[in-house]
Amino acid sequence: MGESLDKFTECSPDNLSESNPASSLKTEAFSHIPVLLKEVIEGLHIKKSGIYIDGTAGGGGHSSEIAKRLDGEKGGRLIALDQDAAAVKAAGKRLEPYSSYCKVVRSNFSNYKAVLDSLEIDRVDGILLDLGVSSYQLDTAERGFSYMEDAPLDMRMDDRSSLTACYVVNHYTEMELYRIIRDYGEDRFAKNIAKHICAARARGEIKTTGELEEIVRNAIPARVRKTGGHPAKRTFQAIRIEVNQELTVLEQVLDGMIDILNPGGRFAVITFHSLEDRIVKEHFRKNENPCICPPNFPVCVCGRQSKGKVLTRKAICPTEGELTLNKRAKSAKLRIFERV
């Protein structure tokens, strides 16, 4: 048996530390519409006796639909992970009817191997990752994710983490800020934004989302601010990705998660950012065709074998009907890999 589950927070919505502000939030407050729900459920091709991981449980929307299709008496199991205390509480509440075969664990999905070891599980039949920030996190001002309301700069999905947006903004070098905003935010004004941030913090610490939003707004030409989306959107996104190490964690888990799938098992990933989607697409492609032999070789000599096939040659996107109900699903893309 692997590490004890005691190092993680288990499924009961009541066993989160009362000293944690997020844990005392009302479960009802965690509102998050599951994106591409029908497509995810169909894509996972759920077996009643299968074992499944929802690596980003959120409010339990996808998890509950997976759980409904499992039969605990036949061995069906669901392990729902989330690093956000409020999400764990909400998902635990929503999955209570299925608690005999569902377990909610407070953990980043990067720890999936340790969690599975603690449950004596070697392989699974399906995995779901719904990446990005939840509606609840965006709409809860004190979490510091949104540029729409003034709040302390935070942006941590897991409030046990030490790195905050406040630290990034006030202590990263100008070059580091430029790189983050350029690469993660894909903002063409990254250099000027980084310069303005450094100039502003030289006059005093930047403490709130409102202060940062104003700095970014002033760093972007007025003619550009009048068109397109909110001028601070890309910078806030970039800093959030850095604080939570979102792309790094994703890179680290994709191949390993494919490895623990049973034959016929499926891996579904929903992305909301072009960089995330590129990473998923590339990893899926390499696992389908890992051969590194030169194209002119008549036969493969590298010995690398395919682990499965990509079921989504083109990413699945939300329908117009879904976008009418949930505008935040606009940039969502679903890709699915099947193990052989």
Side-chain angles (χ1 to χ4, degrees):
M1 184 171 176
E3 299 177 62
S4 169
L5 196 62
D6 291 344
K7 70 176 290 187
F8 306 103
T9 304
E10 227 172 315
C11 67
S12 170
D14 300 317
N15 70 354
L16 298 175
S17 170
E18 290 304 320
S19 63
N20 184 341
S23 70
S24 63
L25 292 171
K26 291 182 179 180
T27 303
E28 293 80 3
F30 202 106
S31 174
H32 183 56
I33 303 172
V35 174
L36 292 165
L37 180 59
K38 177 176 177 290
E39 293 82 353
V40 164
I41 297 302
E42 289 179 353
L44 286 174
H45 196 60
I46 298 165
K47 300 188 301 181
K48 288 185 177 182
S49 60
I51 300 175
Y52 294 84
I53 299 173
D54 183 348
T56 47
H62 289 110
S63 287
S64 60
E65 290 299 321
I66 295 172
K68 287 177 186 177
R69 290 161 174 79
L70 299 177
D71 187 336
E73 294 184 358
K74 293 183 178 181
R77 297 177 74 179
L78 171 67
I79 300 93
L81 309 176
D82 207 288
Q83 60 185 331
D84 188 303
V88 169
K89 192 167 187 176
K93 187 70 175 177
R94 192 162 187 172
L95 291 170
E96 276 183 354
Y98 319 103
S99 59
S100 63
Y101 57 89
C102 295
K103 185 175 291 292
V104 183
V105 181
R106 186 182 182 192
S107 173
N108 187 291
F109 61 75
S110 63
N111 298 317
Y112 72 96
K113 284 186 179 179
V115 173
L116 292 181
D117 284 348
S118 70
L119 298 171
E120 299 183 320
I121 296 173
D122 295 322
R123 291 186 172 274
V124 300
D125 297 287
I127 302 171
L128 168 65
L129 295 180
D130 178 6
L131 305 174
V133 64
S134 71
S135 294
Y136 167 80
Q137 290 164 332
L138 285 171
D139 295 338
T140 306
E142 59 265 31
R143 299 296 296 272
F145 285 100
S146 177
Y147 44 77
M148 301 302 290
E149 297 184 67
D150 195 24
L153 271 173
D154 194 323
M155 301 194 194
R156 291 175 296 171
M157 293 181 180
D158 186 339
D159 60 11
R160 299 169 298 185
S161 301
S162 57
L163 184 61
T164 66
C166 188
Y167 184 87
V168 171
V169 168
N170 289 287
H171 295 280
Y172 275 31
T173 66
E174 183 174 333
M175 183 57 68
E176 288 172 328
L177 289 171
Y178 163 62
R179 177 188 59 80
I180 290 167
I181 298 168
R182 179 197 64 190
D183 295 349
Y184 298 165
E186 298 179 298
D187 197 311
R188 59 185 170 133
F189 299 106
K191 192 170 186 178
N192 202 40
I193 293 169
K195 181 179 179 180
H196 273 66
I197 289 173
C198 291
R201 75 188 189 190
R203 298 189 292 270
E205 186 180 25
I206 302 168
K207 297 180 179 180
T208 71
T209 54
E211 292 174 73
L212 180 60
E213 187 273 340
E214 184 178 2
I215 292 165
V216 175
R217 181 185 293 274
N218 291 333
I220 295 176
R223 57 181 172 76
V224 178
R225 294 201 302 265
K226 295 178 181 178
T227 60
H230 195 286
K233 179 179 180 179
R234 292 177 180 272
T235 296
F236 271 66
Q237 171 184 273
I239 294 172
R240 188 204 80 218
I241 290 173
E242 173 66 16
V243 168
N244 297 286
Q245 295 292 293
E246 295 172 38
L247 300 183
T248 301
V249 169
L250 182 62
E251 285 267 17
Q252 291 172 346
V253 304
L254 290 173
D255 293 342
M257 285 186 162
I258 288 174
D259 288 341
I260 65 166
L261 287 172
N262 283 318
R266 294 187 178 182
F267 188 6
V269 185
I270 302 173
T271 63
F272 291 84
H273 187 288
S274 60
L275 295 178
E276 291 173 339
D277 183 59
R278 200 175 306 155
I279 290 169
V280 174
K281 182 180 179 180
E282 183 64 13
H283 277 263
F284 279 8
R285 185 192 67 77
K286 286 183 178 179
N287 277 277
E288 179 181 53
N289 181 20
C291 179
I292 57 173
C293 296
N296 58 345
F297 272 33
V299 294
C300 174
V301 296
C302 72
R304 299 190 179 191
Q305 297 184 346
S306 173
K307 295 179 182 178
K309 58 184 178 181
V310 179
L311 300 182
T312 47
R313 292 303 164 188
K314 288 186 178 180
I316 299 172
C317 298
T319 63
E320 289 299 321
E322 179 171 0
L323 292 177
T324 300
L325 297 172
N326 183 13
K327 292 181 180 179
R328 285 177 174 169
K330 183 178 180 180
S331 57
K333 291 183 178 181
L334 170 65
R335 295 187 186 274
I336 304 169
F337 186 93
E338 183 178 74
R339 190 79 156 92
V340 293

